[in-house]
């Protein structure tokens, strides 16, 4: 009898039904959440996850479960150590979405430098004269700071360097790079005109950017966060924007998601907001879905997956 596998419908389509062709019984749903999974197939052997949180009580309700394959990089929605104790692999797809996220960061930088959000609003409000008077700044006149030099940070640095932009980099582990200069934490915030955050969500990075960092930043500088909402102390960010401590921000992630409709960030003309779509391109999703599908196939064939983020007790 074939193992049951639950995966997002779009992932099944983007992989040309890879797992079905491998002989598995594939059950599709838009974005598998815990309630959906248990209703559809509590006897499933594998689940491809997108973004919904999985609680630790799911394992006793899914006795056949062998792998939770994250279609993405971050895995903070799964307690990976607890999963390992239940004999369940957790995998991710490192690097698969790096170019797409880096492209979005680059787009945000251009939008911030040209005051795109406000220009767009004034144009729609038939205030052409006001929009025309908003002089932008060339990106090549800026110093761009990249915090976190993993797959996304490295790809972003490569793209910026190709455009002739000066890049500075902070990472806890300094690496040699032809695309920028490594600087200290404080120097990063004091120097950069735009800071782009690309850190993993771990206990050590929770609210790592707060009052102190915003006070270091220049009044004309801006912040981009395409990583995780909890990296920034959101109340400190709101204060910094309201009090012109910094000039603007572009945010794809928030402390609470979906973002509360009363959040002051939604009302600010100097803030670009999107709904956690940094990797939302066809190309990135196809890569992520295929890697996740291959991790599922590997585990269900009895082998150890290449991109495991835990080490199950089996």
């Amino acid at each position: 009898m074939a193992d049951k596998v639950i995966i997002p419908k779009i992932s099944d389509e983007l992989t040309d039904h890879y797992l079905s062709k491998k002989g598995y019984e594939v059950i599709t749903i838009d974005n598998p959440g815990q309630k959906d999974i248990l209703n559809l197939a509590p006897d499933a052997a594998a689940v491809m996850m997108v973004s919904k949180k999985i609680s630790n009580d799911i394992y006793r309700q899914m006795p056949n479960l062998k792998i939770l394959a994250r279609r993405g990089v971050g895995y903070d929605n799964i307690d990976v150590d607890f999963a390992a104790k239940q004999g369940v692999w957790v995998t991710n797809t490192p690097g698969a979405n790096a170019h797409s996220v880096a492209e979005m960061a680059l787009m945000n930088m251009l939008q911030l430098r040209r005051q795109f959000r406000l220009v767009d609003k004034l144009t729609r409000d038939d205030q052409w004269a006001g929009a025309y008077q908003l002089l932008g700044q060339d990106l090549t006149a800026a110093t761009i700071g990249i915090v976190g030099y993993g797959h996304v940070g490295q790809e972003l640095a490569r793209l910026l360097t190709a455009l002739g932009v000066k890049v500075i980099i902070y990472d806890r582990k300094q690496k040699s790079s032809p695309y920028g200069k490594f600087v200290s934490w404080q120097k990063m915030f004091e120097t950069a005109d735009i800071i782009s955050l690309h850190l993993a969500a771990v206990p050590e990075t929770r609210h790592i950017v707060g009052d102190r960092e915003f006070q270091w930043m220049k009044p004309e500088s801006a912040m981009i966060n395409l990583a995780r909402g909890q990296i920034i102390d959101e109340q400190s960010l709101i204060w910094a924007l309201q009090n012109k401590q910094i000039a603007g921000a572009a945010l794809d992630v928030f402390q609470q998601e979906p973002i509360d409709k009363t959040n002051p960030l939604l009302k600010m003309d100097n803030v670009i907001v999107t709904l956690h779509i940094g990797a939302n391109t066809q190309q990135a999703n196809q890569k992520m879905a295929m890697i996740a599908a291959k991790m599922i196939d590997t585990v269900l064939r009895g082998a150890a997956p290449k991109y495991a983020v835990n080490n199950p007790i089996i």
Side-chain angles (χ1 to χ4, degrees):
M1 193 170 179
D3 284 326
K4 290 182 181 178
V5 175
I6 299 174
I7 70 173
K9 183 179 179 183
I10 186 66
S11 298
D12 189 39
E13 295 169 354
L14 288 172
T15 58
D16 192 24
H17 315 291
Y18 176 87
L19 290 169
S20 294
K21 291 176 179 177
K22 287 286 184 178
Y24 301 106
E25 182 182 340
V26 174
I27 301 165
T28 62
I29 188 171
D30 286 340
N31 183 3
Q34 186 157 326
K35 185 177 180 181
D36 304 315
I37 293 165
L38 294 173
N39 285 338
L40 283 169
D43 57 341
V47 181
M48 188 185 295
M49 305 300 307
V50 182
S51 59
K52 292 186 177 178
K53 188 174 178 62
I54 293 295
S55 69
N56 288 342
D57 63 359
I58 197 171
Y59 304 103
R60 62 180 174 81
Q61 301 173 76
M62 297 188 72
N64 297 332
L65 187 63
K66 295 181 177 65
I67 175 173
L68 292 170
R70 172 79 170 89
R71 195 195 72 184
V73 180
Y75 45 88
D76 47 303
N77 54 350
I78 305 168
D79 185 339
V80 298
D81 294 330
F82 188 86
K85 293 175 183 176
Q86 314 310 308
V88 176
W89 291 97
V90 179
T91 62
N92 68 345
T93 60
N97 63 7
H99 183 79
S100 297
V101 177
E103 274 194 359
M104 183 159 171
L106 177 58
M107 176 184 71
N108 285 160
M109 290 171 189
L110 291 165
Q111 290 174 319
L112 288 166
R113 293 290 284 179
R114 299 297 292 267
Q115 301 187 67
F116 179 84
R117 171 89 164 76
L118 186 53
V119 169
D120 180 75
K121 180 179 183 297
L122 291 173
T123 303
R124 292 173 188 274
D125 291 343
D126 199 27
Q127 298 183 46
W128 284 54
Y132 191 77
Q133 290 171 7
L134 289 173
L135 286 179
Q137 298 283 337
D138 287 346
L139 189 60
T140 50
T143 296
I144 303 298
I146 298 174
V147 176
Y149 205 56
H151 293 289
V152 177
Q154 291 173 44
E155 179 63 6
L156 177 58
R158 186 187 70 81
L159 293 176
L160 288 167
T161 301
L163 293 174
V165 180
K166 181 180 178 181
V167 176
I168 58 175
I169 304 162
Y170 174 83
D171 193 273
R172 285 174 291 178
K173 297 180 181 178
Q174 288 201 14
K175 310 163 189 177
S176 61
S177 173
Y179 303 125
K181 177 184 177 183
F182 280 81
V183 297
S184 69
W185 182 254
Q186 183 169 347
K187 187 75 171 178
M188 166 65 64
F189 288 87
E190 290 177 341
T191 306
D193 296 298
I194 299 177
I195 293 174
S196 193
L197 302 175
H198 302 284
L199 296 169
V202 295
E204 294 77 20
T205 61
R206 178 175 172 78
H207 290 183
I208 195 171
V209 178
D211 289 340
R212 182 185 65 170
E213 285 71 26
F214 291 120
Q215 288 168 11
W216 283 339
M217 292 174 70
K218 297 180 289 188
E220 66 273 17
S221 63
M223 176 74 67
I224 294 174
N225 188 8
L226 303 181
R228 287 292 187 271
Q230 57 264 45
I231 290 170
I232 296 179
D233 183 331
E234 199 166 276
Q235 291 307 309
S236 295
L237 172 63
I238 290 169
W239 186 93
L241 288 162
Q242 289 176 333
N243 290 275
K244 302 188 186 306
Q245 184 70 44
I246 65 172
L251 307 168
D252 190 45
V253 289
F254 305 91
Q255 194 76 53
Q256 174 187 325
E257 295 181 11
I259 186 172
D260 190 287
K261 64 181 180 181
T262 64
N263 192 310
L265 293 167
L266 297 176
K267 308 295 183 182
M268 299 181 186
D269 289 335
N270 59 342
V271 178
I272 299 163
V273 292
T274 47
L275 61 164
H276 209 148
I277 58 166
N280 200 26
T281 68
Q282 181 175 342
Q283 290 75 19
N285 275 271
Q286 188 169 36
K287 290 177 187 175
M288 291 188 293
M290 183 57 77
I291 292 173
K294 288 181 176 179
M295 294 304 97
I296 288 173
D297 180 48
T298 298
V299 168
L300 297 188
R301 285 190 289 104
K306 181 178 181 181
Y307 298 119
V309 296
N310 67 349
N311 188 19
I313 301 169
I314 299 175

